[in-house]
Amino acid sequence: MEEQQNSCPSCGDKKKDMDKSKRKKLGLSCMLNTEVGAVLAVIRRPIDPTAQFISPQEDHFDSSIQQSLKSLRGLIFNPHQDWQTIDPCIYLSPFLDVIQSDDIPAAATGVALSAILKILKLEIFDEKTPGAKEAINFVITGITSCRLEKTDPVSEDAVMMKILQVLTGIMRHNASVLLTDQAVCTIVNTCFQVVQQSVTRGDLLQRSARYTMHELIRIIFSRLPDVEVNEGENSESETEDVDENSGYGARCAVDIFQFLCSLLNVVEVVETEVSAWHTADEDVQLFALVLINCAIEVSGDGIGKHPKLLRMIQDDLFHHLIHYGTCSSPLVLSMICSIVLNIYHFLRRFIRLQLEAFFSFVLLRIAAPGASLQLQEVALEAIINFFSQPTFVIEAYANYDCDPICRNVFEEVGKLLCKQAFPGTGPMTTLQVQAFEGLVILIHNISDNIDKEDDSSTSEPYPVEITEYRPFWVDKPKDDLETWMEYIRVRKAQKKKILIAGNHFNRDEKKGLEYLKHCLLVSDPPDPKAFAFFFRYTPGLDKSMIGDYLGDPDEFHLEVLKEFTGTFKFKGMILDSALRTYLETFRLPGESQKIQRILEVFSERFFDQQSSEIFVTKDSVFILCYSLIMLNTDQHNPQVKKKMTEEEFIRNNRAINGGQDLPREYLSELFHSISNHEITLFGQSGSVEMNPSRWIELMNRAKSMQSYVLCDFDRRLGRDMFACVAGPTIAALSAFFEHADEDEMLHECIEGLISVARIAQYGLADTLDVLVASFCKFTTLLNPYASAEETLFAFRNDMKPRMATLAVFSIANNFGGALQGGWRNIVDCLLKLKRLRLLPQSVIEFDVASTSSSDVPEALKSESAVFFPNHDPKFFKRQTSVMVSRFSHFLSLDSMEESISLGMSEFEQNLKIIKQCRIGSIFRNSSNFPNEALLNLGRSLIYAAAGKGQKFSTSIEEEETVGFCWDLIIAISLSNIYRFQVFWPSFHDYLLAVAQFPLFSPIPFAEKAIIGLFKVCLKLLASYQADKMPEELIFKSINLMWKLDKEILDTCCAFIIQSVSKILIEYPANLQTQLGWKSVLHLLSVSGRHPETYDQAVEILIMLMSDAFHISRINYAYCIDCAFGFVALKNSPLEKNLKILDLMPDTVNLLIQWYKTAYSNPGNNYSIGSNTSTSLEDNSKAIGSISFTTSLFVKLGEALRKTSLARREEIRNHAIASMRRSFQLAEDLELSSISCINCFNLVIFAMVDDLHEKMIEYSRRENAEREMRSMEGTLKISMELLTDLYLQFLKQIAENPGFRTFWLGVLRRMDTCMKADLGEYGETKLQEVVPDLLRKMIRNMQEKEILVPKDGDDLWEITYIQIQWIAPSLKEELFPDEL
């Protein structure tokens, strides 16, 4: 039960299917019955419809036709037929008999055709039905044999339209795959016959016929990609065997395509007819082009699988397209260009030379000035369509421009667009706008591919250098991408050098060929093939010079001639065509021997390549060549009155072919060819046409040439290719922007400008500079003759200045790293905006949070509100799409109406525009600039700050401008502090250079520089730097600035003391170089000279010396100098000076420590090895050595000595006291005898001598007794110090060989003081002191047995004599034995 229940649904479905099939069969039967009845009814209809009685008409028609129809009717319902299994011929034959009958009226024929069409549409049979193949081909035979004898034109048109519908129905039927190639060709031929006949009939029939033809081509060729390639198709034979059971395929496609190409020649047939026929012929030609285009569109790259069809496109079709492309109407040319574009899409791998020829002979010629405007527009449109393809630009450059034997297709087209887009004096034309749009498309195409975000490839190097010899004529397949890329870039470099060599060659043959060798374009020893290809393919060479070179008898020249001739492909040419092609490349020399040599080589080449066996020997060719040249002269020389006849020419050339005659037809053809078309024997200039011989040679070359290379964009190639057209492109953009008025055109100009910058950033710095300079002039900011009011008015009321300003600063923002000289223009614009007060409050919009208050004191903030941040080097990502969108926003929103509605003033509107430029981010992002760009930006700013190229109306304006420039210089310096040692040496050189400017003024330049440089200095010293070079560099520049004008130290003292204070208080440990300490302490000393900064400066010094932690061997001397500078100041507070003098002796303890440790520095990690100072004083000796320590001590002593000469007695006496203390502490320095004597000579003796001199000087002044007595008191103290120190170091001094001289020096000073003449002020009180001092010294010397009578030592005697002069009263006391 369950199984029966389960089977019930299945049984029900089967029953339904059976009923459906039965209904379908019945429906088909009814349909056939209806069609049979309709045909019979029309046949039975009376001939004369006006007759009163209808009589049977069967006798009028073939009874067999009616009988076959009746038989079919009887078969239809008895029984119900399964039409899918019945041979279709059974129910098709009766209708086809009606169609082929001569006696059947047109109405019946039309009904029969409708019946067949309905049978086809209802698909009563398909390709699997038995007999389907015979039936479908039988239908075609019947349709094409249609007879229309008894009819009128209207009925005939109706039948023809039915025929067209049936033909289309056949091709759309599933069984159409069973059609033979011949049947398909018959269908197309029949349809075209209807097209031809419809020319004189109604327009409806013509339209229908053409539409049907189009549909047939579409159906036939759409099957081509699925057709299997037969082995026979690869052969040259036209009668290869074809499998009849496989249906129609490539053979019919070839025949049909050949037929369509032949339609293009209709113009030649009617060329001499009246002009009314030209339109019709052009119409047929256009119709053929539409069909050809359809065939290519639907078959696509499937054509590439079928060699014969491909060869037809390569040869016949392209030859026709190029020929008619140069002499056709705009409509035909447009269709031709569309066909070539479609061929490029699907088959470009096979049409390398053909595509080059199409550009050379069609597009470049028609698009150039001279052709009609309509044709130029069509050609430009075609060029734009090509350049809009994603890969055409790069492929054209790689396949043609980088090949030395091809034309520079990309470069020539690019320059043509620039030329056509360049505006004239009149209004802008549509052609100029069209060319401009094409140029912009070209630029965008390159920029979008070269500036991809995910492209990490390099763009270096540029340009490519030729480092080794490579045969430039050898093409290399694209195996490895990187190797191939390098290869074609070198080939492009070779091509450029070849053109240069050609230029040299035209001036001097030897120089040109030597240049080839110099550029490694010719091997060593020279390869004749290299010269041959140079002569053959270098454009613009002097043809006379080529001919003379090739005809030279030298052996090497003969080899070059053979190689040169070997570059020609003469296969398939007749002799005169080959000779024309050969002689077009050079001028045949006038010397007979040279002509003979050249023709001999040509004859041999032509003989080897002749397609037929007409010539028996190469001598036959040689003789006939001479004969043709003579004939050419005879026929075309106006001086020859009696011209040679054909018979004479044939007679003159009898028996020259190995003793036999050449075919008469061949000679006759040559004669007429020469007579009608002269051979240019002398390299006459003029436009070269694509004649049949040149086309044959092109096809021969194509067989051996590398196929078209498919490639994607590469950054290096993109940059190289744009460099070829960069100059004209920028000129065209600038000129178009200047003349354009519409906002949309201006917007496109700016977008093109940005795209050029996107390309130029990859190694084309010169291009980017020119671009910036070109558009800066449109900002109106650099007009030296415009007043501020005029500039502001133009800026507000004209869109161009605003757009140009936004564009220029956008380039600086996004591509500043690639700019070089262009920075000067940008800086000039920026300064003009500053003067116009159009810059926002914060020019440099740095992140304020990144600038901590501890880094820069409040007083260091710039006057221009420029903040100086910490540097965090990050790579900023350019977003050019966002940048371009900002222009759209700018154009759409920044209208005057909107500004007025917002209540904005003119100044506020201008300020709003400038804010969109994001000027501040230029300097913020300078941290990502390459070194070269950063140096150029810095140089522009420094030169501008120095006044180069600037004109100031007032001193205030000058000061503001200079300050602003220095703010920007410091901003970029702080942003790039991490590479300070890389760029600042160049910046310092720029500072040196501006100081040499003829009209340079250090004020206010140096003032602003000092302020800015200290900001950088503080930034550098804020953290410990392992590298001391940055510190050296910045202080070197600081010193340079204040030395330009020492008044700067006075005007900037407040700022200087704050900077120095911060350095010495917060960053003393990071100050590592001698130059740094010397500069800081010198400026500290200078700051003490000013009353308003003295207190702060002296406190810093006292703090430094009190702590003494940061006093090191490299800064000790500078600290002492600084301390002396403060003490020596007039009217300075006494207590401060005394404090300093008290601190100075304490530093001796440091000297003692350094002496004992020798190579370590307590409190500072300085060592001998770390001393890389480049200061003026050379202290690079062993800093920890005894001599160095002694020299530092002497430095201290000399400072105190000079202080002992101060005007105030308290300071003098305190200085001597400090000196005493210093020498007492110096006991631990273990001074040697020489050191002791040096100290005495440089410090003590000098101090005594100076004080004595001062005392004498005062004694000679009037009313100066008080000063003189005060100085006498100081001298007394100094004499006492001399005595005490002498006794302290007596032991070391006595050991010195020069002790005798030293002792005499002591005695001499005692004598000088003893006998000082004070004039009117009386006796000196020193007379009371000196004897006591002498007594003290001599007693001590005697006790130590230093001063005792000795043999060979006259010290005792000399001392005795001196005492007699100095203090005779001591003689008895000290020298009793001498009495």
Side-chain angles (χ1 to χ4, degrees):
M1 289 295 294
E2 293 180 359
E3 292 179 359
Q4 292 178 357
Q5 291 175 356
N6 293 336
S7 64
C8 288
S10 176
C11 292
D13 293 341
K14 291 181 179 180
K15 185 176 181 181
K16 289 180 180 179
D17 292 340
M18 292 176 65
D19 293 341
K20 184 177 180 180
S21 176
K22 186 176 181 181
R23 286 196 301 271
K24 183 177 181 181
K25 293 176 182 178
L26 182 60
L28 293 176
S29 298
C30 293
M31 183 274 296
L32 286 173
N33 183 62
T34 302
E35 296 300 323
V36 171
V39 174
L40 287 173
V42 175
I43 292 175
R44 291 171 181 147
R45 192 166 57 189
I47 298 175
D48 185 6
T50 62
Q52 295 182 356
F53 302 99
I54 300 176
S55 60
Q57 302 296 325
E58 286 83 350
D59 294 339
H60 294 285
F61 304 108
D62 190 353
S63 60
S64 62
I65 294 176
Q66 297 185 47
Q67 187 61 40
S68 63
L69 290 170
K70 292 177 181 179
S71 300
L72 177 58
R73 173 179 281 179
L75 182 65
I76 291 175
F77 295 107
N78 188 25
H80 293 303
Q81 299 294 334
D82 185 1
W83 300 103
Q84 294 286 342
T85 60
I86 295 178
D87 187 347
C89 289
I90 295 174
Y91 49 81
L92 288 173
S93 296
F95 298 107
L96 293 173
D97 291 342
V98 173
I99 293 171
Q100 297 178 78
S101 174
D102 295 338
D103 300 327
I104 298 299
T109 302
V111 175
L113 287 169
S114 298
I116 292 178
L117 180 61
K118 186 175 291 187
I119 291 172
L120 293 173
K121 286 185 175 181
L122 292 177
E123 297 184 352
I124 298 178
F125 68 96
D126 57 23
E127 72 275 12
K128 298 180 181 179
T129 302
K133 180 177 181 181
E134 291 75 10
I136 195 74
N137 285 280
F138 183 45
V139 170
I140 293 174
T141 303
I143 297 297
T144 55
S145 302
C146 178
R147 297 287 186 267
L148 294 173
E149 299 297 335
K150 300 177 181 181
T151 183
D152 57 272
V154 176
S155 300
E156 187 174 343
D157 286 355
V159 171
M160 284 185 177
M161 292 188 69
K162 287 292 183 181
I163 291 174
L164 295 175
Q165 294 175 8
V166 173
L167 292 178
T168 305
I170 292 172
M171 293 306 302
R172 288 177 176 170
H173 197 270
N174 291 336
S176 64
V177 297
L178 302 177
L179 291 172
T180 62
D181 290 310
Q182 183 178 359
V184 173
C185 291
T186 302
I187 291 175
V188 174
N189 186 51
T190 302
C191 184
F192 185 72
Q193 289 179 6
V194 177
V195 172
Q196 284 183 306
Q197 295 176 21
S198 67
V199 173
T200 58
R201 297 176 180 271
D203 185 64
L204 179 61
L205 177 61
Q206 186 177 11
R207 290 177 180 273
S208 299
R210 293 196 171 201
Y211 174 78
T212 303
M213 190 75 173
H214 191 278
E215 282 296 296
L216 292 177
I217 297 298
R218 187 186 64 79
I219 294 170
I220 294 169
F221 281 87
S222 62
R223 185 172 179 265
L224 194 62
D226 301 325
V227 174
E228 296 295 331
V229 181
N230 296 323
E231 293 183 2
E233 285 191 53
N234 294 320
S235 67
E236 295 291 335
S237 174
E238 299 290 340
T239 59
E240 70 270 5
D241 295 333
V242 178
D243 185 2
E244 295 292 340
N245 295 322
S246 63
Y248 74 91
R251 182 173 183 179
C252 72
V254 171
D255 293 340
I256 294 171
F257 203 87
Q258 188 173 17
F259 167 69
L260 295 178
C261 290
S262 68
L263 293 179
L264 298 175
N265 293 321
V266 173
V267 174
E268 294 182 359
V269 177
V270 295
E271 190 172 356
T272 58
E273 297 293 325
V274 294
S275 59
W277 284 96
H278 283 286
T279 303
D281 293 334
E282 182 178 297
D283 190 54
V284 172
Q285 191 180 60
L286 185 63
F287 174 60
L289 290 172
V290 171
L291 296 180
I292 292 171
N293 189 52
C294 175
I296 295 172
E297 286 177 342
V298 298
S299 56
D301 56 358
I303 296 177
K305 300 189 299 183
H306 303 281
K308 282 192 175 181
L309 190 57
L310 179 61
R311 285 195 295 272
M312 191 170 298
I313 289 177
Q314 292 173 321
D315 194 347
D316 295 347
L317 177 60
F318 253 104
H319 191 194
H320 283 99
L321 295 179
I322 293 174
H323 174 73
Y324 294 116
T326 57
C327 55
S328 58
S329 67
L331 189 59
V332 172
L333 177 61
S334 177
M335 200 66 238
I336 289 175
C337 293
S338 297
I339 293 174
V340 175
L341 181 61
N342 288 333
I343 295 175
Y344 164 79
H345 278 300
F346 301 118
L347 303 171
R348 60 182 181 273
R349 292 185 298 112
F350 311 104
I351 58 165
R352 181 177 180 182
L353 291 183
Q354 291 87 342
L355 191 59
E356 179 194 13
F358 181 75
F359 270 89
S360 300
F361 291 94
V362 180
L363 293 184
L364 286 171
R365 289 189 179 183
I366 297 177
S372 69
L373 181 62
Q374 294 80 5
L375 287 174
Q376 286 187 65
E377 290 179 349
V378 173
L380 280 178
E381 182 180 355
I383 289 173
I384 293 171
N385 288 335
F386 272 101
F387 275 36
S388 299
Q389 309 310 312
T391 59
F392 174 79
V393 174
I394 189 68
E395 288 177 351
Y397 180 77
N399 284 279
Y400 305 122
D401 292 58
C402 292
D403 192 332
I405 64 175
C406 292
R407 290 188 66 169
N408 291 325
V409 172
F410 166 79
E411 182 176 350
E412 291 183 30
V413 172
K415 290 181 177 179
L416 174 65
L417 290 175
C418 296
K419 183 177 181 180
Q420 291 287 45
F422 205 90
T425 56
M428 202 82 71
T429 64
T430 56
L431 187 68
Q432 290 169 340
V433 173
Q434 186 182 20
F436 170 74
E437 292 174 349
L439 180 61
V440 171
I441 289 174
L442 166 65
I443 298 170
H444 289 331
N445 191 329
I446 299 176
S447 65
D448 291 342
N449 287 282
I450 199 175
D451 193 31
K452 293 181 179 177
E453 292 184 3
D454 56 348
D455 188 359
S456 59
S457 62
T458 178
S459 59
E460 298 298 335
Y462 177 81
V464 177
E465 296 294 336
I466 303 173
T467 58
E468 61 181 351
Y469 166 71
R470 295 180 184 178
F472 60 84
W473 60 91
V474 177
D475 210 350
K476 183 178 181 179
K478 181 184 174 183
D479 297 328
D480 177 67
L481 177 61
E482 193 63 30
T483 304
W484 179 78
M485 193 67 62
E486 186 269 342
Y487 177 77
I488 64 169
R489 294 186 71 209
V490 171
R491 291 198 82 194
K492 178 60 179 177
Q494 290 177 325
K495 191 172 186 178
K496 292 180 180 178
K497 297 295 185 182
I498 288 172
L499 294 177
I500 297 174
N503 193 20
H504 288 306
F505 177 83
N506 289 340
R507 293 184 174 90
D508 189 314
E509 174 188 310
K510 292 183 178 180
K511 287 184 178 180
L513 300 182
E514 283 296 326
Y515 186 80
L516 288 175
K517 298 176 183 178
H518 173 73
C519 296
L520 302 179
L521 296 172
V522 176
S523 61
D524 188 15
D527 183 359
K529 185 175 288 188
F531 290 116
F533 276 87
F534 171 71
F535 293 141
R536 177 75 165 87
Y537 293 107
T538 303
L541 288 183
D542 188 315
K543 294 184 178 182
S544 298
M545 297 180 70
I546 298 176
D548 290 336
Y549 185 94
L550 296 177
D552 193 281
D554 182 79
E555 185 65 30
F556 183 78
H557 288 233
L558 290 175
E559 292 296 325
V560 173
L561 174 62
K562 292 178 182 179
E563 294 290 350
F564 176 82
T565 310
T567 63
F568 291 86
K569 311 293 182 182
F570 296 133
K571 185 177 182 181
M573 294 186 189
I574 63 172
L575 182 59
D576 79 302
S577 296
L579 194 58
R580 292 176 193 274
T581 303
Y582 187 64
L583 295 180
E584 282 177 352
T585 57
F586 64 95
R587 179 173 178 172
L588 198 63
E591 194 175 333
S592 59
Q593 292 89 343
K594 292 185 177 181
I595 295 176
Q596 179 179 348
R597 280 188 288 271
I598 292 173
L599 291 182
E600 283 178 352
V601 176
F602 167 79
S603 302
E604 183 177 356
R605 177 69 174 173
F606 182 83
F607 177 77
D608 293 339
Q609 289 193 327
Q610 63 175 328
S611 303
S612 60
E613 299 298 331
I614 294 178
F615 295 99
V616 177
T617 64
K618 63 179 181 180
D619 293 336
S620 305
V621 180
F622 175 74
I623 295 171
L624 188 55
C625 283
Y626 255 116
S627 182
L628 289 177
I629 291 176
M630 294 173 65
L631 174 65
N632 185 75
T633 303
D634 175 86
Q635 295 293 312
H636 299 286
N637 191 334
Q639 296 180 356
V640 178
K641 303 302 180 181
K642 185 179 180 181
K643 306 295 182 182
M644 186 185 302
T645 64
E646 180 180 349
E647 288 298 327
E648 290 174 339
F649 175 72
I650 295 174
R651 184 173 59 252
N652 292 340
N653 289 286
R654 287 178 179 174
I656 64 171
N657 193 20
Q660 302 294 322
D661 289 344
L662 288 166
R664 182 181 181 87
E665 298 78 10
Y666 189 81
L667 292 175
S668 178
E669 182 181 0
L670 290 176
F671 177 85
H672 288 291
S673 177
I674 299 295
S675 298
N676 296 328
H677 304 285
E678 180 184 4
I679 298 177
T680 55
L681 291 177
F682 304 106
Q684 297 166 0
S685 60
S687 61
V688 179
E689 301 297 332
M690 180 51 76
N691 52 43
S693 59
R694 182 171 285 103
W695 183 257
I696 292 173
E697 192 206 1
L698 183 145
M699 292 304 300
N700 290 334
R701 277 182 57 204
K703 295 176 183 178
S704 59
M705 197 168 191
Q706 186 74 26
S707 61
Y708 190 95
V709 178
L710 308 181
C711 61
D712 295 324
F713 248 92
D714 179 86
R715 180 169 291 170
R716 291 162 292 180
L717 275 188
R719 184 265 320 281
D720 295 352
M721 66 191 295
F722 183 75
C724 300
V725 297
T729 299
I730 294 175
L733 280 176
S734 301
F736 199 89
F737 185 82
E738 183 177 6
H739 289 80
D741 295 322
E742 298 181 8
D743 290 349
E744 184 179 355
M745 291 290 100
L746 294 175
H747 192 189
E748 288 189 17
C749 272
I750 295 298
E751 289 183 344
L753 168 81
I754 300 301
S755 291
V756 170
R758 292 172 62 192
I759 302 169
Q761 65 177 315
Y762 297 105
L764 299 179
D766 292 343
T767 299
L768 194 57
D769 292 340
V770 173
L771 183 69
V772 169
S774 299
F775 273 80
C776 276
K777 67 180 181 181
F778 297 117
T779 64
T780 69
L781 297 174
L782 302 184
N783 185 355
Y785 304 105
S787 65
E789 294 75 13
E790 291 173 339
T791 303
L792 288 172
F793 180 82
F795 199 80
R796 177 59 204 140
N797 294 280
D798 191 355
M799 177 71 74
K800 289 182 183 178
R802 288 176 283 159
M803 293 185 67
T805 302
L806 186 58
V808 166
F809 284 109
S810 295
I811 290 176
N813 263 300
N814 293 274
F815 313 107
L819 278 170
Q820 291 184 0
W823 280 117
R824 178 180 176 182
N825 300 95
I826 294 174
V827 169
D828 288 343
C829 290
L830 190 59
L831 296 181
K832 187 61 175 288
L833 291 174
K834 173 69 176 175
R835 295 176 194 171
L836 296 174
R837 309 294 180 185
L838 288 180
L839 291 181
Q841 288 298 318
S842 181
V843 177
I844 313 299
E845 298 173 353
F846 286 129
D847 183 7
V848 180
S850 68
T851 309
S852 96
S853 59
S854 62
D855 290 338
V856 182
E858 186 66 25
L860 303 190
K861 292 182 180 177
S862 73
E863 301 170 3
S864 306
V866 181
F867 295 93
F868 305 96
N870 287 323
H871 173 71
D872 182 17
K874 293 181 179 178
F875 180 79
F876 72 96
K877 184 179 180 180
R878 286 187 299 270
Q879 297 181 344
T880 51
S881 60
V882 176
M883 174 180 60
V884 173
S885 70
R886 281 178 34 247
F887 282 98
S888 302
H889 178 78
F890 171 79
L891 289 173
S892 61
L893 297 182
D894 191 41
S895 64
M896 183 174 295
E897 291 78 5
E898 180 196 7
S899 300
I900 294 174
S901 65
L902 295 175
M904 299 173 65
S905 67
E906 182 176 306
F907 179 79
E908 290 173 335
Q909 295 165 25
N910 290 335
L911 193 60
K912 175 187 174 184
I913 297 167
I914 298 304
K915 285 182 178 179
Q916 296 181 49
C917 295
R918 299 184 300 121
I919 296 174
S921 63
I922 298 174
F923 302 95
R924 176 177 67 246
N925 296 330
S926 65
S927 59
N928 302 300
F929 287 178
N931 294 335
E932 189 68 24
L934 184 62
L935 295 180
N936 281 286
L937 174 57
R939 177 175 56 191
S940 300
L941 289 170
I942 291 173
Y943 282 17
K948 186 174 184 180
Q950 306 297 318
K951 293 182 179 180
F952 306 110
S953 56
T954 64
S955 59
I956 295 177
E957 181 183 284
E958 178 183 8
E959 185 172 354
E960 290 179 350
T961 302
V962 173
F964 179 68
C965 288
W966 269 107
D967 287 341
L968 297 180
I969 295 169
I970 301 311
I972 63 173
S973 299
L974 294 179
S975 293
N976 294 273
I977 204 76
Y978 69 100
R979 50 172 170 172
F980 187 82
Q981 64 273 22
V982 175
F983 70 85
W984 195 260
S986 297
F987 278 27
H988 184 78
D989 291 339
Y990 303 151
L991 295 176
L992 288 171
V994 299
Q996 307 301 320
F997 287 175
L999 301 178
F1000 172 73
S1001 173
I1003 305 295
F1005 179 84
E1007 289 182 352
K1008 304 299 182 181
I1010 287 287
I1011 296 173
L1013 293 174
F1014 262 111
K1015 295 172 185 177
V1016 179
C1017 180
L1018 288 172
K1019 187 67 177 179
L1020 288 170
L1021 296 177
S1023 59
Y1024 176 76
Q1025 303 287 334
D1027 187 0
K1028 301 179 183 61
M1029 184 60 68
E1031 181 185 325
E1032 291 267 358
L1033 292 171
I1034 193 62
F1035 279 110
K1036 189 177 179 182
S1037 297
I1038 290 174
N1039 292 334
L1040 172 65
M1041 289 299 101
W1042 71 257
K1043 289 179 180 178
L1044 291 177
D1045 191 336
K1046 295 187 178 181
E1047 292 182 5
I1048 296 169
L1049 298 177
D1050 298 329
T1051 58
C1052 299
C1053 62
F1055 178 84
I1056 292 174
I1057 189 56
Q1058 291 187 52
S1059 302
V1060 170
S1061 173
K1062 190 173 182 66
I1063 293 173
L1064 294 178
I1065 294 174
E1066 298 186 21
Y1067 312 130
N1070 297 333
L1071 200 58
Q1072 306 177 61
T1073 65
Q1074 286 186 340
L1075 181 60
W1077 276 106
K1078 179 181 180 181
S1079 302
V1080 169
L1081 292 173
H1082 173 76
L1083 293 174
L1084 179 65
S1085 176
V1086 171
S1087 300
R1089 300 173 188 172
H1090 300 275
E1092 61 271 20
T1093 58
Y1094 172 82
D1095 291 338
Q1096 186 178 357
V1098 75
E1099 290 298 333
I1100 295 172
L1101 176 64
I1102 292 174
M1103 177 206 70
L1104 179 65
M1105 298 187 66
S1106 299
D1107 185 5
F1109 184 75
H1110 297 292
I1111 299 178
S1112 64
R1113 287 165 293 183
I1114 65 172
N1115 66 14
Y1116 181 87
Y1118 308 129
C1119 288
I1120 299 301
D1121 287 339
C1122 183
F1124 170 73
F1126 275 91
V1127 175
L1129 291 174
K1130 298 179 180 179
N1131 302 321
S1132 55
L1134 181 61
E1135 64 276 9
K1136 300 295 184 183
N1137 291 339
L1138 298 181
K1139 177 64 175 176
I1140 295 173
L1141 290 173
D1142 288 336
L1143 291 173
M1144 292 175 71
D1146 293 339
T1147 61
V1148 178
N1149 293 320
L1150 296 174
L1151 298 177
I1152 295 171
Q1153 293 177 13
W1154 301 336
Y1155 169 72
K1156 292 181 177 180
T1157 56
Y1159 294 98
S1160 65
N1161 187 3
N1164 291 277
N1165 294 325
Y1166 293 101
S1167 65
I1168 296 173
S1170 69
N1171 178 33
T1172 58
S1173 173
T1174 58
S1175 63
L1176 297 177
E1177 295 185 15
D1178 184 11
N1179 292 328
S1180 59
K1181 299 177 182 179
I1183 292 180
S1185 66
I1186 298 173
S1187 59
F1188 180 74
T1189 306
T1190 305
S1191 66
L1192 294 181
F1193 179 74
V1194 171
K1195 186 75 174 178
L1196 172 63
E1198 288 180 333
L1200 293 173
R1201 173 187 65 80
K1202 289 184 286 186
T1203 308
S1204 67
L1205 299 175
R1207 293 178 62 87
R1208 288 182 285 183
E1209 184 178 6
E1210 295 87 346
I1211 295 178
R1212 293 200 304 269
N1213 296 340
H1214 209 88
I1216 296 175
S1218 297
M1219 187 182 296
R1220 179 184 296 276
R1221 185 161 166 251
S1222 299
F1223 273 92
Q1224 290 173 352
L1225 293 173
E1227 190 76 32
D1228 293 335
L1229 286 177
E1230 300 178 357
L1231 298 175
S1232 65
S1233 60
I1234 296 177
S1235 298
C1236 290
I1237 291 176
N1238 286 337
C1239 288
F1240 269 84
N1241 289 332
L1242 296 175
V1243 179
I1244 306 300
F1245 289 169
M1247 176 181 65
V1248 172
D1249 294 342
D1250 293 340
L1251 288 172
H1252 178 266
E1253 185 178 349
K1254 276 287 184 182
M1255 182 185 69
I1256 298 300
E1257 181 182 346
Y1258 280 121
S1259 69
R1260 295 171 182 172
R1261 294 181 185 177
E1262 296 181 359
N1263 301 319
E1265 184 176 3
R1266 187 175 62 84
E1267 291 81 357
M1268 185 273 296
R1269 292 300 176 186
S1270 174
M1271 192 62 67
E1272 183 183 36
T1274 304
L1275 179 57
K1276 174 187 174 184
I1277 299 174
S1278 67
M1279 294 297 294
E1280 292 173 350
L1281 176 62
L1282 184 153
T1283 302
D1284 294 340
L1285 295 181
Y1286 175 79
L1287 296 177
Q1288 179 183 344
F1289 295 99
L1290 179 58
K1291 181 179 179 182
Q1292 295 95 314
I1293 295 173
E1295 295 173 354
N1296 191 280
F1299 174 68
R1300 177 178 179 278
T1301 304
F1302 177 82
W1303 171 242
L1304 290 176
V1306 173
L1307 294 177
R1308 179 173 58 80
R1309 285 165 178 82
M1310 290 292 179
D1311 180 52
T1312 302
C1313 293
M1314 188 71 178
K1315 298 176 179 178
D1317 182 10
L1318 301 183
E1320 63 183 11
Y1321 298 122
E1323 297 292 332
T1324 176
K1325 297 179 182 180
L1326 294 177
Q1327 294 177 355
E1328 302 173 0
V1329 179
V1330 171
D1332 295 335
L1333 299 179
L1334 282 172
R1335 183 184 296 108
K1336 186 178 181 181
M1337 289 188 289
I1338 293 175
R1339 289 288 188 194
N1340 193 289
M1341 293 172 66
Q1342 291 174 344
E1343 290 174 1
K1344 295 180 179 179
E1345 297 184 353
I1346 295 174
L1347 186 62
V1348 293
K1350 293 181 182 178
D1351 294 336
D1353 187 359
D1354 62 350
L1355 185 63
W1356 175 272
E1357 288 78 8
I1358 292 175
T1359 303
Y1360 175 75
I1361 295 171
Q1362 290 296 323
I1363 292 299
Q1364 285 183 332
W1365 286 98
I1366 299 171
S1369 60
L1370 296 179
K1371 180 174 60 171
E1372 296 180 2
E1373 180 182 352
L1374 298 178
F1375 300 95
D1377 296 337
E1378 293 296 326
L1379 297 175

